[in-house]
Protein backbone atom coordinates (compact mmCIF):
# COMPACT_ATOMS: atom_id res chain seq x y z
CA UNK A 1 0.00 0.00 0.00
CA UNK A 2 1.49 3.33 -1.08
CA UNK A 3 0.03 6.41 0.58
CA UNK A 4 1.06 9.80 -0.74
CA UNK A 5 -1.31 12.07 1.19
CA UNK A 6 -0.42 11.81 4.87
CA UNK A 7 1.64 14.93 5.59
CA UNK A 8 1.79 14.28 9.34
CA UNK A 9 2.53 10.96 11.05
CA UNK A 10 2.36 10.38 14.79
CA UNK A 11 4.60 7.79 16.45
CA UNK A 12 4.30 7.48 20.20
CA UNK A 13 4.65 11.01 21.55
CA UNK A 14 6.46 12.32 18.44
CA UNK A 15 4.89 14.08 15.47
CA UNK A 16 6.69 13.75 12.14
CA UNK A 17 5.82 16.54 9.70
CA UNK A 18 6.57 17.03 5.99
CA UNK A 19 5.96 13.35 5.24
CA UNK A 20 6.10 12.66 1.51
CA UNK A 21 5.01 9.00 1.55
CA UNK A 22 4.04 6.10 3.75
CA UNK A 23 4.57 2.61 2.34
CA UNK A 24 2.99 -0.46 3.94
CA UNK A 25 4.59 -3.69 2.72
CA UNK A 26 3.42 -7.20 3.49
CA UNK A 27 5.82 -10.09 2.96
CA UNK A 28 5.60 -13.84 3.41
CA UNK A 29 8.15 -14.96 5.97
CA UNK A 30 7.18 -18.61 5.75
CA UNK A 31 5.39 -20.13 2.80
CA UNK A 32 4.09 -23.57 1.96
CA UNK A 33 4.01 -24.56 -1.71
CA UNK A 34 3.16 -28.11 -2.78
CA UNK A 35 2.66 -29.98 -6.01
CA UNK A 36 0.51 -33.01 -6.67
CA UNK A 37 1.37 -36.11 -8.66
CA UNK A 38 -1.15 -35.07 -11.34
CA UNK A 39 0.90 -32.40 -13.08
CA UNK A 40 3.67 -29.80 -13.00
CA UNK A 41 1.67 -26.91 -11.45
CA UNK A 42 1.30 -25.88 -7.84
CA UNK A 43 -1.69 -27.57 -6.21
CA UNK A 44 -1.52 -25.93 -2.75
CA UNK A 45 -0.11 -22.65 -1.49
CA UNK A 46 -0.32 -21.04 1.92
CA UNK A 47 1.42 -18.27 3.87
CA UNK A 48 1.25 -19.15 7.57
CA UNK A 49 3.61 -16.36 8.67
CA UNK A 50 3.69 -12.77 7.45
CA UNK A 51 5.65 -9.64 8.25
CA UNK A 52 4.18 -6.16 7.83
CA UNK A 53 6.61 -3.27 7.59
CA UNK A 54 5.98 0.45 7.22
CA UNK A 55 8.37 2.96 5.67
CA UNK A 56 7.82 6.64 6.43
CA UNK A 57 9.66 9.01 4.09
CA UNK A 58 10.05 12.50 5.50
CA UNK A 59 11.58 15.68 4.07
CA UNK A 60 13.88 17.37 6.56
CA UNK A 61 14.10 21.14 6.52
CA UNK A 62 16.15 21.50 9.71
CA UNK A 63 18.45 19.48 11.95
CA UNK A 64 16.78 16.45 13.52
CA UNK A 65 19.05 15.26 16.34
CA UNK A 66 16.16 13.78 18.37
CA UNK A 67 14.77 11.43 15.73
CA UNK A 68 13.59 7.89 16.27
CA UNK A 69 16.05 5.11 17.12
CA UNK A 70 15.97 1.38 16.40
CA UNK A 71 14.05 -0.36 19.15
CA UNK A 72 11.71 2.58 19.86
CA UNK A 73 8.14 1.29 20.19
CA UNK A 74 4.78 3.02 20.09
CA UNK A 75 1.58 3.54 18.21
CA UNK A 76 1.98 4.71 14.62
CA UNK A 77 -1.00 6.66 13.25
CA UNK A 78 -1.86 8.93 10.37
CA UNK A 79 -4.82 10.13 8.35
CA UNK A 80 -5.08 9.69 4.61
CA UNK A 81 -7.61 10.29 1.84
CA UNK A 82 -7.63 9.60 -1.90
CA UNK A 83 -7.43 13.28 -2.89
CA UNK A 84 -5.59 14.66 0.13
CA UNK A 85 -8.77 16.37 1.39
CA UNK A 86 -11.19 15.62 4.22
CA UNK A 87 -13.43 13.62 1.85
CA UNK A 88 -13.26 9.85 2.48
CA UNK A 89 -10.58 10.41 5.10
CA UNK A 90 -9.37 7.27 6.88
CA UNK A 91 -7.17 6.77 9.92
CA UNK A 92 -4.47 4.10 9.86
CA UNK A 93 -3.17 2.82 13.21
CA UNK A 94 -0.68 0.15 14.24
CA UNK A 95 1.63 -0.75 17.10
CA UNK A 96 5.15 -0.64 15.71
CA UNK A 97 8.85 -0.90 16.53
CA UNK A 98 11.54 1.06 14.69
CA UNK A 99 13.91 -1.21 12.77
CA UNK A 100 15.95 1.26 10.77
CA UNK A 101 16.50 5.02 10.34
CA UNK A 102 18.30 6.24 7.21
CA UNK A 103 19.13 9.71 5.97
CA UNK A 104 19.87 10.86 2.44
CA UNK A 105 21.05 14.17 1.10
CA UNK A 106 20.97 15.27 -2.53
CA UNK A 107 21.09 18.57 -4.36
CA UNK A 108 17.84 17.83 -6.20
CA UNK A 109 15.85 16.14 -3.43
CA UNK A 110 17.22 17.85 -0.33
CA UNK A 111 17.46 15.97 2.95
CA UNK A 112 15.17 13.01 3.61
CA UNK A 113 14.76 10.58 6.47
CA UNK A 114 13.31 7.10 5.94
CA UNK A 115 12.10 5.29 9.04
CA UNK A 116 11.36 1.57 8.67
CA UNK A 117 9.13 -0.03 11.30
CA UNK A 118 7.82 -3.55 11.87
CA UNK A 119 4.16 -3.72 12.81
CA UNK A 120 3.05 -5.85 15.78
CA UNK A 121 -0.22 -7.81 15.96
CA UNK A 122 -2.09 -7.68 19.28
CA UNK A 123 -2.47 -11.46 19.44
CA UNK A 124 -0.48 -12.83 16.52
CA UNK A 125 -3.64 -13.63 14.52
CA UNK A 126 -5.31 -10.23 14.03
CA UNK A 127 -4.25 -7.96 11.18
CA UNK A 128 -1.76 -5.55 12.79
CA UNK A 129 -2.86 -2.58 10.63
CA UNK A 130 -6.21 -1.01 11.51
CA UNK A 131 -7.89 1.20 8.91
CA UNK A 132 -11.01 3.05 10.04
CA UNK A 133 -13.04 6.13 9.20
CA UNK A 134 -11.39 9.26 10.62
CA UNK A 135 -13.36 11.51 12.98
Amino acid sequence: MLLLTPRVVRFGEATWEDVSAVVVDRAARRKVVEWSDLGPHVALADVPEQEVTVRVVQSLTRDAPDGPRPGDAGQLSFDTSPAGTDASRRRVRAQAVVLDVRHELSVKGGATRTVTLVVISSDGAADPVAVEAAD
Side-chain angles (χ1 to χ4, degrees):
M1 173 179 356
L2 173 63
L3 304 163
L4 300 173
T5 56
R7 299 298 296 157
V8 176
V9 170
R10 290 166 295 286
F11 178 66
E13 299 295 319
T15 300
W16 302 335
E17 297 180 352
D18 298 320
V19 172
S20 58
V22 176
V23 182
V24 179
D25 290 321
R26 296 174 181 263
R29 286 298 169 228
R30 187 165 63 105
K31 59 186 176 182
V32 177
V33 180
E34 295 183 10
W35 290 259
S36 73
D37 294 335
L38 301 176
H41 301 288
V42 172
L44 171 75
D46 191 16
V47 179
E49 294 178 3
Q50 301 176 31
E51 181 180 43
V52 180
T53 57
V54 176
R55 282 182 292 134
V56 178
V57 181
Q58 178 186 19
S59 297
L60 298 177
T61 56
R62 60 188 178 282
D63 291 349
D66 59 344
R69 293 175 175 83
D72 287 353
Q75 184 176 67
L76 179 75
S77 66
F78 56 89
D79 292 348
T80 185
S81 70
T85 65
D86 284 340
S88 302
R89 194 165 51 107
R90 296 174 297 161
R91 176 156 297 137
V92 179
R93 292 181 303 110
Q95 286 299 119
V97 175
V98 175
L99 294 178
D100 192 46
V101 180
R102 301 222 180 250
H103 296 86
E104 292 184 30
L105 181 63
S106 71
V107 174
K108 185 176 181 180
T112 59
R113 173 170 59 197
T114 302
V115 180
T116 304
L117 306 102
V118 65
V119 180
I120 309 298
S121 173
S122 60
D123 63 1
D127 190 334
V129 179
V131 180
E132 57 201 24
D135 297 337

